[in-house]
Amino acid sequence: MRLKKIKLTKLSWKLALLYASVFAAVLLVLNASVLYGVKFFLINQAEQKVDSVSSAVEKRIIGSNSEQMTFDDPEMINEARNDNTLNIKVADPSGKVVNTSDNFNTSGLPMTDHINTARKLESGKLKLVVKNTAVINGGKVRAYVQVSQNMEKEYTFLRILFILLAIADMFGILFSLFSGYLLSRRMLKPIDKMTKAANEIGLSGLAERIEVPLVDDELSRLAKTFNEMLDRIKATFDKQGRFVADASHELRTPVSIIQGYIGMMDRWGKQDEKVLQESIDAIKKETLSMTVMIERLLFLARGDNGSQVLQKATFSIDDLMEEVSMESLMLTAGHNFSFQGSQGLELFADRRMIKQMLRALLNNSIKFTPNGGRVTLLYTGNENKVVFSILDTGIGIPEEEQEQIFERFYRVDKARVRETGGSGLGLSVVKWIVDVHNGEINIISSVENGTSVAVTLPRL
Ligand SMILES: Nc1ncnc2c1ncn2[C@@H]1O[C@H](COP(=O)(O)OP(=O)(O)O)[C@@H](O)[C@H]1O
Ligand SMILES: [Mg+2]
């Protein structure tokens, strides 16, 4: 019990970990794209700003008298005066710096390379976006302009964003781990209950059932299937129990009759020939019916546990009919028999069982048809199937009992049992044989008029 509990908890943790790692992966991708996007946007903006400032300065340089251009006019770097994150430098064609806003130190940055492209670079501790421009007038380079944008604030902002996102992620992952655990535990709870219920089933018989969760999902289907399986097991179990009880009950009667006769013989049989003979006859009859019954019980038991072997072979129906008719004629002299059928039919089946089946059906007809009545066996067939029909003019079977007569030990008229003999197993055996040959059995019967039983068997 304890062990199972631990295993279940582990499963919840496994699921929770799975949720959390999927969630973490999603967060990672999401946050990386947010950070990257923001960074891209900020640098792009800085580049645009640097571009526009560069061209403004360039315009000023060219806009002044083109013959005598002055580069050291402080007006030129006005923009940098209002914005200390911006640095503007102007150099003469030889590269000598002639005008600078000196908002921050960019002395290490050459002014004449990477002309006209704004780029991101680092100078000392500074992170900058820098653009160098060559001012060309009259086909000559007149000056160089360098505009730098300090990105410190932007990078600080990105760092803070990163930290915030990381903290949020951590909380998110922890939360998803925890809630995933609680959720899976909740969802797996029915399994825990099922385990408990299944454990108790052995103890309290087969009556216990698992509570089916209200929501229609895999777990409720599992519970339902489990319960249905228990129903089936219980039905089989009960049937077996009834079978054993009925069998014992049925065997008790002949045994007590035999005991009675033995007592009688013991007391009077030694002197009285008549009592002796009567007792012997009765004991013979009872042991015979017991033997038949035990054989049928064994047959059905073998059928139930699957150890009944079928020995299928192709055989001639004409031969079989001859045997069966001879045997039936020996059973009674009081009935009108007729056997009719198509000649030359063959069947692929267990011959011994088919014979047993026909014998049981004919015996019933003989048993339940008064002397003078008619008993007929017809057989026909085509390439697919063979039909045996056993017709009699006997007492018939009430409509409402025609289903039940195939049940084990079922007899219509229990009072007449001692007279007719039989234990109510004959038709159970017949049904088993027909089923195992994939055949069908149909009964048409009316009380007082007679019964017709038709067995249809596939040829192959
Ligand atoms: N041909 C028949 N005519 C009338 N009743 C029949 C016939 N065949 C079977 N039955 C009824 O069905 C019951 C079950 O038959 P069966 O299983 O062969 O048992 P048994 O012959 O041992 O009584 C019989 O007891 C009888 O009541
Ligand atoms: Mg019978």
Side-chain angles (χ1 to χ4, degrees):
M1 218 34 224
R2 182 96 200 106
L3 202 81
K4 272 168 202 148
K5 186 103 195 160
I6 288 167
K7 266 191 190 154
L8 201 72
T9 319
K10 265 192 183 163
L11 187 58
S12 314
W13 272 118
K14 265 188 209 160
L15 282 174
L17 269 175
L18 192 74
Y19 300 147
S21 35
V22 170
F23 187 59
V26 171
L27 279 182
L28 204 76
V29 171
L30 199 76
N31 293 344
S33 24
V34 165
L35 279 173
Y36 189 80
V38 170
K39 188 175 170 185
F40 182 82
F41 172 76
L42 291 174
I43 288 175
N44 200 30
Q45 255 197 343
E47 283 171 357
Q48 274 176 22
K49 185 173 164 193
V50 164
D51 269 344
S52 72
V53 171
S54 290
S55 51
V57 175
E58 195 179 348
K59 267 194 202 115
R60 264 178 202 279
I61 292 174
I62 296 174
S64 58
N65 186 345
S66 58
E67 289 308 305
Q68 320 165 315
M69 281 183 265
T70 46
F71 312 119
D72 48 1
D73 178 5
E75 282 295 304
M76 222 179 284
I77 49 175
N78 250 348
E79 334 256 333
R81 215 163 276 147
N82 306 326
D83 180 354
N84 63 359
T85 66
L86 202 64
N87 198 50
I88 302 173
K89 277 197 295 188
V90 182
D92 65 11
S94 73
K96 187 170 152 266
V97 178
V98 290
N99 198 351
T100 173
S101 65
D102 263 340
N103 280 353
F104 43 86
N105 183 12
T106 58
S107 56
L109 287 180
M111 293 188 59
T112 53
D113 62 351
H114 292 95
I115 297 298
N116 274 339
T117 44
R119 65 211 163 98
K120 194 182 84 192
L121 46 82
E122 286 178 25
S123 155
K125 278 186 183 159
L126 294 174
K127 292 197 167 50
L128 306 169
V129 170
V130 179
K131 187 179 180 185
N132 291 338
T133 319
V135 183
I136 295 168
N137 196 11
K140 272 192 199 155
V141 174
R142 304 291 178 176
Y144 290 102
V145 176
Q146 181 181 70
V147 179
S148 324
Q149 167 71 44
N150 189 348
M151 299 297 286
E152 199 180 295
K153 269 191 196 150
E154 284 80 353
Y155 273 84
T156 311
F157 170 72
L158 282 174
R159 249 196 314 279
I160 291 174
L161 185 65
F162 174 79
I163 291 169
L164 284 179
L165 286 175
I167 292 174
D169 285 2
M170 217 168 64
F171 277 112
I173 289 166
L174 276 178
F175 180 74
S176 85
L177 195 65
F178 195 64
S179 56
Y181 172 70
L182 289 182
L183 208 74
S184 4
R185 252 187 75 116
R186 234 183 96 130
M187 282 186 354
L188 293 174
K189 194 117 202 144
I191 292 190
D192 204 10
K193 278 193 197 154
M194 278 182 216
T195 315
K196 275 204 196 98
N199 253 328
E200 264 147 44
I201 278 160
L203 307 172
S204 63
L206 289 168
E208 194 79 19
R209 288 293 176 274
I210 290 173
E211 188 187 322
V212 178
L214 285 177
V215 227
D216 179 33
D217 58 9
E218 285 84 349
L219 286 177
S220 74
R221 276 203 293 282
L222 176 64
K224 243 184 257 167
T225 312
F226 193 85
N227 284 344
E228 279 162 15
M229 181 192 75
L230 283 176
D231 289 345
R232 284 198 299 276
I233 292 177
K234 189 167 185 317
T236 317
F237 201 72
D238 291 349
K239 207 171 124 190
Q240 288 288 344
R242 243 188 349 260
F243 187 42
V244 172
D246 288 347
S248 327
H249 182 77
E250 294 291 332
L251 283 169
R252 208 161 54 189
T253 317
V255 168
S256 49
I257 292 173
I258 291 171
Q259 275 174 336
Y261 279 107
I262 288 174
M264 220 162 88
M265 279 198 290
D266 198 19
R267 256 170 280 162
W268 303 293
K270 288 163 199 149
Q271 292 88 30
D272 192 334
E273 284 273 318
K274 221 181 105 213
V275 170
L276 190 65
Q277 192 55 48
E278 191 193 330
S279 305
I280 289 173
D281 289 347
I283 290 171
K284 251 191 192 166
K285 187 175 154 237
E286 291 303 326
T287 44
L288 186 72
S289 80
M290 268 169 81
T291 309
V292 172
M293 183 179 155
I294 289 168
E295 256 160 27
R296 284 180 174 169
L297 279 174
L298 279 175
F299 183 94
L300 290 171
R302 277 199 298 269
D304 284 348
N305 68 24
S307 62
Q308 187 74 268
V309 229
L310 279 188
Q311 288 169 324
K312 283 192 171 185
T314 304
F315 60 87
S316 150
I317 293 182
D318 297 329
D319 289 353
L320 177 68
M321 284 306 139
E322 199 156 317
E323 281 173 37
V324 173
S325 61
M326 293 282 279
E327 285 175 16
S328 300
L329 286 172
M330 279 199 289
L331 277 179
T332 167
H335 294 88
N336 288 318
F337 270 111
S338 74
F339 289 83
Q340 293 163 24
S342 343
Q343 299 291 301
L345 281 177
E346 285 191 330
L347 184 63
F348 180 73
D350 187 317
R351 191 180 193 275
R352 204 173 42 87
M353 284 191 191
I354 301 299
K355 188 172 168 185
Q356 196 178 345
M357 171 193 94
L358 290 172
R359 219 198 269 151
L361 292 173
L362 283 167
N363 278 352
N364 281 351
S365 284
I366 293 167
K367 211 157 63 174
F368 299 106
T369 303
N371 274 350
R374 205 193 336 274
V375 175
T376 311
L377 172 58
L378 299 175
Y379 50 102
T380 55
N382 58 25
E383 62 270 30
N384 299 320
K385 59 186 185 186
V386 171
V387 184
F388 297 99
S389 310
I390 295 96
L391 319 165
D392 66 53
T393 55
I395 60 171
I397 306 161
E399 175 102 39
E400 64 276 9
E401 289 183 84
Q402 287 174 13
E403 280 286 310
Q404 284 141 285
I405 54 171
F406 293 101
E407 284 168 21
R408 293 171 187 189
F409 300 110
Y410 192 86
R411 282 160 299 201
V412 173
D413 188 353
K414 280 125 202 123
R416 281 167 51 127
V417 165
R418 295 250 41 92
E419 201 179 305
T420 56
S423 51
L425 290 173
L427 287 179
S428 307
V429 170
V430 168
K431 178 92 170 81
W432 194 89
I433 293 173
V434 172
D435 283 348
V436 88
H437 282 90
N438 300 316
E440 244 179 63
I441 184 159
N442 290 302
I443 290 199
I444 301 170
S445 182
S446 84
V447 176
E448 311 263 303
N449 291 323
T451 304
S452 106
V453 182
V455 175
T456 309
L457 296 176
R459 292 273 308 263
L460 279 178

